[in-house]
Amino acid sequence: MSESGKHTTEDEKHTTEGSGPEAAEGGGRSGDGRDSRERRFAAYRGSARTLSGARPPETLGERLARLTADAPSVYDLDDWIDFYGNDDGIVGELERRTADALGTEAAAFFPTGTMAQQVALRCWAGRTGNATVAGHPLSHMEVHERDAYAVVSGLRMVHPTNAPRLPTAAEIYDLQEPFGTLALELPLRDAGYVLPSWEELTSTVSAARDRDAVVHFDGARLWECGPHLGRSLPEIAALADSVYVSFYKSLGGIAGAALAGTEEFVEEARAWRHRYGGQQFQQWPTVLAALAGLDHELPRLPSYVAHAKLVARALREGLAEAGVPWFRVHPEEPHTHEFQVWLPHPPEALDEAAIRQAEETRTTLFRKWFEPGASAPPGMAMTEVTVASPALEWTAEEIRTAVGEFVRRIDG
């Protein structure tokens, strides 16, 4: 953690490719070394069943082989490689397909989401003449981007609310100073992947319009929001003036992001992308993986979201049956296919229990556990569960049984 109590980077917390927030398996905040990482990798790779995450850790060769297998079905491999993101090649194809999926006029590919977010806010500050952004203190921009919006782009942020949820319309109206952009993270990951209702979201957006502000969606995981909001991706994206989406969170890509909106806005974003260092010479491996995610993983997300409700309920029941004196599954009914589990044990003890369970039963129930932020009481640990294709095989009874086996290994 930084001195301010924020997590300094997302890599230090819990990001991997696949469906989002599994542990940064290289170590991060736990401070364990290479030997511990190798043991953890071996345990997870040796598991016959996995509840959380899209797949076990991969070697470079395995990831390359998977990309090679997926590529012929998503793009013509007889086409030329890309050259500085030329529009008539593979990068342009991804941008057009992303715009189609979101129902926007255009989209621009970015190497990272942090860059895409800063470019969006920079563009809107110039257009509105107001460098103040209204956002959440738990948002990705505040917690995981090293204050880039302020340090790099010279912007400042005000908080309509400190509650662990998206701001309400009333809170937007009550802000005591003008702001140029309202930035909403959908879902709000660090609060537990929470979403408002559709009515709440539209009211909040309308309030921002009434305040003469534009609206930007930090939609890194917007792909999975449709079931809870009860609307299609184009309907959701249409509420905002700009939308950022990720190609590795939820979609299983290698990296990369897109910024979507009107043709005019996206053209300006392309200029700032170049200035920020995002005009890369070749990006075809990342773009191929992103196209594969749009083709293969995006259609599956609604089934993951539906099954996450069963998984969360079974975890609660299993922890209660195991006699755990205090625990929390948050939200109790997940809004997306990702949610939090909290237990009153040191993360090291829970990590060891998870590894031993994988080694002894070839079952991976949880991945990495973390010590929460400064606002949480001491002695707590949290993990994030991502329900993806491996979890679809699990029944509620199997989950409850595995939870009991996990609990027996804590401090045991």
Side-chain angles (χ1 to χ4, degrees):
M1 275 190 188
S2 67
E3 290 181 0
S4 65
K6 295 179 181 178
H7 306 302
T8 53
T9 69
E10 183 157 4
D11 285 341
E12 287 179 304
K13 197 178 181 195
H14 31 233
T15 297
T16 62
E17 68 85 22
S19 295
E22 294 307 326
E25 302 282 3
R29 291 189 289 166
S30 63
D32 52 357
R34 183 174 180 85
D35 289 346
S36 178
R37 185 187 68 171
E38 294 291 345
R39 180 190 171 209
R40 186 165 63 248
F41 278 13
Y44 295 163
R45 285 170 59 85
S47 291
R49 308 197 70 189
T50 299
L51 183 67
S52 179
R55 56 187 54 85
E58 294 176 299
T59 65
L60 291 172
E62 289 166 341
R63 185 63 182 95
L64 181 60
R66 184 158 62 87
L67 179 61
T68 302
D70 289 340
S73 67
V74 299
Y75 194 75
D76 180 7
L77 299 187
D78 289 329
D79 194 10
W80 301 105
I81 59 175
D82 58 303
F83 182 76
Y84 288 116
N86 52 300
D87 183 68
D88 58 349
I90 187 171
V91 176
E93 175 68 13
L94 175 62
E95 291 174 337
R96 287 185 288 274
R97 287 195 51 189
T98 302
D100 288 345
L102 297 174
T104 59
E105 292 181 6
F109 180 77
F110 279 77
T112 72
T114 296
M115 184 185 294
Q117 299 257 74
Q118 304 321 307
V119 165
L121 297 183
R122 182 74 174 255
C123 289
W124 291 127
R127 288 172 174 236
T128 64
N130 190 322
T132 299
V133 179
H136 201 285
L138 290 177
S139 70
H140 194 280
M141 287 183 283
E142 284 279 64
V143 180
H144 299 296
E145 296 182 13
R146 293 181 184 262
D147 299 319
Y149 69 86
V151 177
V152 178
S153 300
L155 309 177
R156 60 186 291 265
M157 190 171 289
V158 294
H159 303 142
T161 182
N162 291 316
R165 52 161 174 76
L166 274 295
T168 65
E171 289 164 340
I172 298 300
Y173 284 123
D174 287 344
L175 267 175
Q176 294 180 330
E177 56 186 304
F179 55 96
T181 304
L182 171 64
L184 298 175
E185 183 178 335
L186 301 175
L188 186 55
R189 179 263 189 93
D190 274 21
Y193 300 92
V194 296
L195 287 164
S197 68
W198 178 253
E199 292 72 21
E200 290 168 336
L201 179 60
T202 54
S203 295
T204 297
V205 168
S206 295
R209 307 276 189 225
D210 289 345
R211 297 288 304 265
D212 296 321
V214 298
V215 177
H216 169 71
F217 283 171
D218 173 348
R221 298 174 176 86
L222 192 74
W223 310 115
E224 65 216 45
C225 294
H228 180 83
L229 294 174
R231 295 295 190 278
S232 67
L233 284 173
E235 289 176 292
I236 300 168
L239 293 179
D241 298 282
S242 60
V243 179
Y244 144 62
V245 290
S246 172
F247 292 119
Y248 76 90
K249 297 169 183 174
S250 303
L251 296 187
I254 294 173
L259 195 56
T262 65
E263 290 275 7
E264 182 185 17
F265 170 79
V266 169
E267 279 304 303
E268 183 181 359
R270 293 181 195 277
W272 282 106
R273 179 183 65 186
H274 199 171
R275 294 184 182 113
Y276 274 67
Q279 194 78 356
Q280 295 186 329
F281 178 53
Q282 290 179 11
Q283 302 168 103
W284 57 267
T286 302
V287 174
L288 276 174
L291 288 169
L294 287 174
D295 270 7
H296 303 153
E297 203 66 12
L298 182 57
R300 300 171 182 165
L301 289 177
S303 67
Y304 301 166
V305 174
H307 197 62
K309 294 174 172 52
L310 178 148
V311 172
R313 183 172 62 253
L315 287 173
R316 291 198 310 271
E317 293 169 350
L319 290 167
E321 292 170 4
V324 177
W326 187 94
F327 62 86
R328 186 173 185 188
V329 176
H330 176 69
E332 286 195 359
E333 183 170 294
H335 297 177
T336 71
H337 70 304
E338 297 160 302
F339 57 91
Q340 299 174 340
V341 178
W342 294 65
L343 287 175
H345 295 277
E348 296 80 9
L350 299 175
D351 283 342
E352 177 63 22
I355 293 171
R356 285 180 52 204
Q357 182 174 21
E359 290 173 334
E360 295 166 8
T361 70
R362 298 188 66 204
T363 296
T364 294
L365 189 62
F366 302 112
R367 295 288 186 94
K368 200 87 172 71
W369 289 82
F370 298 92
E371 186 176 306
S375 60
M380 302 297 301
M382 185 270 289
T383 191
E384 293 178 311
V385 175
T386 295
V387 174
S389 55
L392 298 181
E393 304 173 356
W394 289 70
T395 67
E397 178 58 34
E398 290 169 336
I399 294 170
R400 290 192 292 267
T401 299
V403 168
E405 293 172 350
F406 171 76
V407 170
R408 286 194 291 273
R409 287 173 171 81
I410 301 173
D411 296 328

